[in-house]
Every structure is written in structure tokens, then in C-alpha cells.
């Protein structure tokens, strides 16, 4: 009889351990997800994306740029901008990542957020230039357990003119140490 009682106690202890491990695993899975939220800084719409590697702020109304990139591992702000703009027309110069050229620098990009895939978030930013009739679509994919950000650009020429050259390139300002660039 004591053998049966010992066996039941061992089974209960094993079940408790299994339950604890399951809860810990589920908590780890939940905490490792990519988090996305939206907020306004004054009149500027901001999208914040965060995982265990970084915290990023994107401003769709201001050229669809990343104006904040905080590296959580090194505790370093990698884009030098003291304050986020409070109005879409506030001059900030050529700062941030995904800074497009010509009249896209301060363009108002449409922003679509897709959280449908487990473990990743897709943000699609779409801008259109009335003067050149060019559409830029940039799709950013963020992953839950990776420092990688996948960025895909698509340029569409809706005019009857040939458009080429440096004027449609991407200008990125990214200081790996968080400090300015030396002379």
C-alpha cells in the first residue's frame, strides 16, 4: 500500500514540475514576441516596434522614417535625434533610417500594420509623389527572436517619363556607436 502512495506522490510531483515548466515556456514565448503600438507625439503619428533586441519608432507622416533606434543589448540610441518632431512639417533635416530622397524626404506615407503571422510584424509604408508620379512602397518585417529587420523597397513609375538616377535613392543616417561621425 505504501508503494502505491509513494507512486501517487511522485506522479503529483512530476505533474507539478511539468505544469511549472509549461507555464515558464509559455511565458518565455509570450515575452519574446514583437510588440507594436501606435501613439502620437503632438500631431505626429508614431509606430513603435519592440522586441528583445531593439525599440524602434517609425514616423509615417514624416517620410516613413525610423527616427528612433534603441539597441537594448548595448543600451545605445543609434540615431541622433534629441526629440521626436511634434508636427509633420517640423524641419528635422536628413536624419533617421529609411530616409528617402527628393520630395519623399518629408512625405506623408500611408502605413499598414500586419500582425497576422506568429513571431513577426509587417509594416508597409506607401508614399506617392504627385510631381514625379512615383510611388515608393517599403515593407519592413520585424521578427521576435532576431535583431534583423528585413526591408524591401518597391518603386513604381506612374508617369510616361523615364526616371532614373541618384535622386530616388535611400539616404540612411545610422551611427553604430550612437555618437556622431568623426572627421
Amino acid at each position: 500500500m505504501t508503494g502505491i502512495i509513494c507512486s501517487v506522490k511522485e506522479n503529483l510531483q512530476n505533474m507539478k514540475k511539468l505544469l511549472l515548466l509549461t507555464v515558464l515556456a509559455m511565458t518565455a514565448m509570450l515575452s519574446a514576441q514583437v510588440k507594436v503600438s501606435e501613439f502620437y507625439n503632438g500631431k505626429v503619428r508614431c509606430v513603435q516596434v519592440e522586441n528583445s533586441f531593439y525599440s524602434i519608432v517609425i514616423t509615417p507622416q514624416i517620410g516613413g522614417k525610423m527616427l528612433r533606434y534603441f539597441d537594448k543589448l548595448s543600451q545605445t540610441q543609434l540615431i541622433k535625434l534629441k526629440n521626436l518632431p511634434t508636427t509633420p512639417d517640423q524641419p528635422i533635416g536628413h536624419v533617421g533610417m529609411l530616409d528617402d530622397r527628393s520630395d519623399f524626404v518629408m512625405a506623408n506615407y500611408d502605413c499598414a500594420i500586419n500582425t497576422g503571422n506568429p513571431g513577426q510584424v509587417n509594416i508597409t509604408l506607401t508614399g506617392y509623389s504627385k510631381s514625379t508620379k512615383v510611388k515608393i512602397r517599403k515593407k519592413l518585417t520585424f521578427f521576435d527572436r532576431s535583431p534583423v529587420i528585413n526591408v524591401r523597397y518597391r518603386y513604381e513609375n506612374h508617369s510616361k517619363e523615364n526616371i532614373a538616377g541618384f535622386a530616388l535613392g535611400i539616404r540612411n543616417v545610422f551611427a553604430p556607436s550612437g555618437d556622431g561621425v568623426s572627421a
Side-chain angles (χ1 to χ4, degrees), residues 112-145:
I113 301 169
N114 181 339
T115 58
N117 294 334
Q120 74 180 48
V121 169
N122 293 309
I123 297 178
T124 303
L125 300 159
T126 306
Y128 181 76
S129 167
K130 290 180 183 177
S131 64
T132 61
K133 296 184 180 172
V134 170
K135 182 187 281 187
I136 295 179
R137 182 175 295 128
K138 37 191 170 183
K139 181 179 178 184
L140 290 69
T141 304
F142 303 89
F143 304 95
D144 61 357
R145 292 188 178 99

Short mmCIF file of all heavy atoms in Angstrom, two decimals, residues 112-145:
data_model
loop_
_atom_site.label_atom_id
_atom_site.label_comp_id
_atom_site.label_asym_id
_atom_site.label_seq_id
_atom_site.Cartn_x
_atom_site.Cartn_y
_atom_site.Cartn_z
N ALA A 112 0.38 50.56 -43.08
CA ALA A 112 -0.44 49.39 -42.78
C ALA A 112 0.37 48.45 -41.91
O ALA A 112 1.52 48.14 -42.23
CB ALA A 112 -0.87 48.70 -44.07
N ILE A 113 -0.23 48.02 -40.82
CA ILE A 113 0.44 47.12 -39.86
C ILE A 113 -0.24 45.77 -39.92
O ILE A 113 -1.46 45.67 -39.81
CB ILE A 113 0.38 47.70 -38.44
CG1 ILE A 113 1.05 49.07 -38.40
CG2 ILE A 113 1.02 46.74 -37.44
CD1 ILE A 113 0.83 49.83 -37.11
N ASN A 114 0.56 44.71 -40.10
CA ASN A 114 0.03 43.36 -40.16
C ASN A 114 0.70 42.52 -39.08
O ASN A 114 1.91 42.31 -39.12
CB ASN A 114 0.29 42.75 -41.55
CG ASN A 114 -0.27 41.35 -41.68
OD1 ASN A 114 -0.50 40.65 -40.71
ND2 ASN A 114 -0.47 40.93 -42.92
N THR A 115 -0.10 42.06 -38.12
CA THR A 115 0.40 41.23 -37.03
C THR A 115 -0.11 39.79 -37.15
O THR A 115 -0.06 39.05 -36.20
CB THR A 115 -0.01 41.81 -35.67
OG1 THR A 115 -1.45 41.91 -35.63
CG2 THR A 115 0.58 43.18 -35.43
N GLY A 116 -0.56 39.42 -38.35
CA GLY A 116 -1.18 38.11 -38.55
C GLY A 116 -0.25 36.92 -38.50
O GLY A 116 -0.68 35.81 -38.24
N ASN A 117 1.03 37.11 -38.77
CA ASN A 117 1.98 35.98 -38.74
C ASN A 117 2.58 35.84 -37.36
O ASN A 117 3.15 36.81 -36.84
CB ASN A 117 3.09 36.19 -39.76
CG ASN A 117 2.60 36.17 -41.18
OD1 ASN A 117 1.59 35.55 -41.48
ND2 ASN A 117 3.29 36.85 -42.06
N PRO A 118 2.51 34.66 -36.75
CA PRO A 118 3.11 34.49 -35.43
C PRO A 118 4.62 34.72 -35.48
O PRO A 118 5.29 34.25 -36.38
CB PRO A 118 2.80 33.04 -35.06
CG PRO A 118 1.84 32.54 -36.07
CD PRO A 118 1.88 33.46 -37.24
N GLY A 119 5.12 35.48 -34.53
CA GLY A 119 6.55 35.71 -34.44
C GLY A 119 7.09 36.81 -35.31
O GLY A 119 8.29 37.02 -35.36
N GLN A 120 6.21 37.52 -36.02
CA GLN A 120 6.69 38.63 -36.84
C GLN A 120 5.60 39.69 -37.02
O GLN A 120 4.43 39.41 -36.87
CB GLN A 120 7.20 38.15 -38.19
CG GLN A 120 6.13 37.74 -39.19
CD GLN A 120 6.74 37.28 -40.50
OE1 GLN A 120 7.67 36.48 -40.50
NE2 GLN A 120 6.22 37.76 -41.60
N VAL A 121 6.07 40.89 -37.34
CA VAL A 121 5.19 42.02 -37.64
C VAL A 121 5.64 42.60 -38.97
O VAL A 121 6.84 42.78 -39.20
CB VAL A 121 5.25 43.10 -36.54
CG1 VAL A 121 4.55 44.37 -36.98
CG2 VAL A 121 4.66 42.59 -35.24
N ASN A 122 4.70 42.87 -39.86
CA ASN A 122 4.99 43.52 -41.14
C ASN A 122 4.38 44.92 -41.12
O ASN A 122 3.21 45.08 -40.79
CB ASN A 122 4.40 42.73 -42.31
CG ASN A 122 5.07 41.40 -42.49
OD1 ASN A 122 6.28 41.31 -42.55
ND2 ASN A 122 4.28 40.35 -42.55
N ILE A 123 5.18 45.90 -41.50
CA ILE A 123 4.70 47.27 -41.64
C ILE A 123 4.99 47.68 -43.07
O ILE A 123 6.12 47.62 -43.53
CB ILE A 123 5.39 48.21 -40.65
CG1 ILE A 123 5.04 47.81 -39.22
CG2 ILE A 123 4.99 49.66 -40.92
CD1 ILE A 123 5.70 48.63 -38.14
N THR A 124 3.94 48.10 -43.79
CA THR A 124 4.08 48.55 -45.16
C THR A 124 3.83 50.05 -45.20
O THR A 124 2.77 50.53 -44.78
CB THR A 124 3.11 47.82 -46.10
OG1 THR A 124 3.35 46.41 -45.98
CG2 THR A 124 3.32 48.24 -47.54
N LEU A 125 4.81 50.79 -45.70
CA LEU A 125 4.74 52.25 -45.83
C LEU A 125 4.68 52.58 -47.32
O LEU A 125 5.51 52.12 -48.09
CB LEU A 125 5.96 52.90 -45.19
CG LEU A 125 6.12 52.61 -43.70
CD1 LEU A 125 7.55 52.82 -43.25
CD2 LEU A 125 5.17 53.46 -42.89
N THR A 126 3.68 53.37 -47.71
CA THR A 126 3.49 53.70 -49.13
C THR A 126 3.42 55.21 -49.29
O THR A 126 2.58 55.86 -48.66
CB THR A 126 2.20 53.05 -49.68
OG1 THR A 126 2.24 51.65 -49.42
CG2 THR A 126 2.09 53.28 -51.18
N GLY A 127 4.31 55.75 -50.13
CA GLY A 127 4.32 57.18 -50.42
C GLY A 127 4.17 57.41 -51.90
O GLY A 127 4.57 56.57 -52.71
N TYR A 128 3.60 58.57 -52.25
CA TYR A 128 3.38 58.89 -53.65
C TYR A 128 3.77 60.35 -53.89
O TYR A 128 3.40 61.23 -53.12
CB TYR A 128 1.92 58.66 -54.04
CG TYR A 128 1.63 58.95 -55.50
CD1 TYR A 128 2.01 58.05 -56.48
CD2 TYR A 128 0.98 60.12 -55.87
CE1 TYR A 128 1.76 58.31 -57.83
CE2 TYR A 128 0.72 60.38 -57.22
CZ TYR A 128 1.11 59.47 -58.19
OH TYR A 128 0.86 59.73 -59.50
N SER A 129 4.51 60.59 -54.96
CA SER A 129 4.91 61.94 -55.36
C SER A 129 4.03 62.40 -56.51
O SER A 129 4.06 61.79 -57.59
CB SER A 129 6.38 61.96 -55.78
OG SER A 129 6.67 63.18 -56.43
N LYS A 130 3.27 63.45 -56.29
CA LYS A 130 2.42 63.99 -57.36
C LYS A 130 3.27 64.61 -58.47
O LYS A 130 2.91 64.56 -59.63
CB LYS A 130 1.46 65.02 -56.80
CG LYS A 130 0.39 64.42 -55.93
CD LYS A 130 -0.55 65.48 -55.39
CE LYS A 130 -1.56 64.85 -54.46
NZ LYS A 130 -2.46 65.84 -53.87
N SER A 131 4.43 65.18 -58.11
CA SER A 131 5.25 65.85 -59.12
C SER A 131 5.94 64.86 -60.06
O SER A 131 6.00 65.08 -61.27
CB SER A 131 6.28 66.77 -58.47
OG SER A 131 7.19 66.01 -57.71
N THR A 132 6.46 63.76 -59.54
CA THR A 132 7.15 62.79 -60.40
C THR A 132 6.27 61.59 -60.76
O THR A 132 6.65 60.78 -61.60
CB THR A 132 8.42 62.26 -59.72
OG1 THR A 132 8.06 61.60 -58.50
CG2 THR A 132 9.41 63.37 -59.46
N LYS A 133 5.15 61.46 -60.07
CA LYS A 133 4.24 60.32 -60.25
C LYS A 133 4.94 58.99 -59.96
O LYS A 133 4.74 58.00 -60.64
CB LYS A 133 3.62 60.33 -61.64
CG LYS A 133 2.74 61.53 -61.87
CD LYS A 133 2.06 61.47 -63.19
CE LYS A 133 1.21 62.73 -63.34
NZ LYS A 133 0.66 62.87 -64.67
N VAL A 134 5.76 59.02 -58.92
CA VAL A 134 6.46 57.82 -58.47
C VAL A 134 5.85 57.39 -57.14
O VAL A 134 5.57 58.22 -56.27
CB VAL A 134 7.98 58.08 -58.29
CG1 VAL A 134 8.66 56.91 -57.59
CG2 VAL A 134 8.62 58.30 -59.65
N LYS A 135 5.66 56.09 -57.02
CA LYS A 135 5.17 55.52 -55.76
C LYS A 135 6.29 54.69 -55.16
O LYS A 135 6.94 53.91 -55.87
CB LYS A 135 3.95 54.63 -56.00
CG LYS A 135 3.37 54.03 -54.71
CD LYS A 135 2.27 53.02 -54.98
CE LYS A 135 0.98 53.74 -55.29
NZ LYS A 135 -0.16 52.80 -55.39
N ILE A 136 6.54 54.89 -53.87
CA ILE A 136 7.52 54.07 -53.15
C ILE A 136 6.76 53.26 -52.11
O ILE A 136 5.96 53.80 -51.34
CB ILE A 136 8.59 54.93 -52.45
CG1 ILE A 136 9.44 55.68 -53.47
CG2 ILE A 136 9.47 54.05 -51.56
CD1 ILE A 136 10.50 56.57 -52.85
N ARG A 137 7.03 51.96 -52.11
CA ARG A 137 6.45 51.09 -51.10
C ARG A 137 7.61 50.40 -50.39
O ARG A 137 8.45 49.77 -51.04
CB ARG A 137 5.52 50.07 -51.74
CG ARG A 137 4.85 49.17 -50.72
CD ARG A 137 3.83 48.24 -51.34
NE ARG A 137 2.73 49.03 -51.88
CZ ARG A 137 2.27 48.91 -53.13
NH1 ARG A 137 2.82 48.07 -53.96
NH2 ARG A 137 1.27 49.64 -53.55
N LYS A 138 7.67 50.58 -49.09
CA LYS A 138 8.70 49.89 -48.32
C LYS A 138 8.01 48.98 -47.31
O LYS A 138 7.13 49.41 -46.58
CB LYS A 138 9.69 50.84 -47.66
CG LYS A 138 9.16 52.13 -47.13
CD LYS A 138 10.29 53.08 -46.77
CE LYS A 138 9.76 54.46 -46.47
NZ LYS A 138 10.82 55.41 -46.18
N LYS A 139 8.40 47.72 -47.35
CA LYS A 139 7.83 46.73 -46.44
C LYS A 139 8.90 46.33 -45.45
O LYS A 139 9.97 45.86 -45.82
CB LYS A 139 7.34 45.51 -47.21
CG LYS A 139 6.71 44.46 -46.32
CD LYS A 139 6.22 43.27 -47.13
CE LYS A 139 5.64 42.21 -46.22
NZ LYS A 139 5.24 41.02 -46.98
N LEU A 140 8.60 46.54 -44.17
CA LEU A 140 9.52 46.22 -43.09
C LEU A 140 8.99 45.00 -42.35
O LEU A 140 7.80 44.96 -41.99
CB LEU A 140 9.64 47.38 -42.10
CG LEU A 140 10.34 48.64 -42.57
CD1 LEU A 140 9.55 49.38 -43.62
CD2 LEU A 140 10.56 49.55 -41.39
N THR A 141 9.84 44.01 -42.14
CA THR A 141 9.45 42.82 -41.39
C THR A 141 10.34 42.71 -40.17
O THR A 141 11.57 42.71 -40.27
CB THR A 141 9.57 41.55 -42.26
OG1 THR A 141 8.79 41.73 -43.45
CG2 THR A 141 9.08 40.33 -41.52
N PHE A 142 9.71 42.62 -39.01
CA PHE A 142 10.38 42.51 -37.71
C PHE A 142 10.09 41.12 -37.15
O PHE A 142 8.97 40.63 -37.24
CB PHE A 142 9.84 43.57 -36.75
CG PHE A 142 9.98 44.98 -37.26
CD1 PHE A 142 8.97 45.55 -38.02
CD2 PHE A 142 11.10 45.73 -36.98
CE1 PHE A 142 9.09 46.85 -38.49
CE2 PHE A 142 11.23 47.02 -37.45
CZ PHE A 142 10.21 47.58 -38.21
N PHE A 143 11.11 40.51 -36.54
CA PHE A 143 11.00 39.15 -36.03
C PHE A 143 11.15 39.14 -34.52
O PHE A 143 11.87 39.96 -33.95
CB PHE A 143 12.07 38.26 -36.68
CG PHE A 143 12.01 38.27 -38.18
CD1 PHE A 143 12.81 39.14 -38.91
CD2 PHE A 143 11.14 37.44 -38.86
CE1 PHE A 143 12.75 39.18 -40.29
CE2 PHE A 143 11.07 37.47 -40.24
CZ PHE A 143 11.88 38.34 -40.96
N ASP A 144 10.51 38.16 -33.87
CA ASP A 144 10.51 38.14 -32.40
C ASP A 144 11.85 37.77 -31.77
O ASP A 144 12.21 38.32 -30.76
CB ASP A 144 9.39 37.26 -31.86
CG ASP A 144 9.50 35.79 -32.26
OD1 ASP A 144 10.42 35.44 -33.01
OD2 ASP A 144 8.66 35.00 -31.81
N ARG A 145 12.60 36.90 -32.34
CA ARG A 145 13.85 36.45 -31.71
C ARG A 145 15.06 36.78 -32.56
O ARG A 145 16.02 36.01 -32.61
CB ARG A 145 13.78 34.95 -31.45
CG ARG A 145 12.76 34.58 -30.40
CD ARG A 145 12.85 33.12 -30.03
NE ARG A 145 11.89 32.84 -28.99
CZ ARG A 145 10.70 32.29 -29.19
NH1 ARG A 145 10.34 31.98 -30.40
NH2 ARG A 145 9.89 32.07 -28.19
#
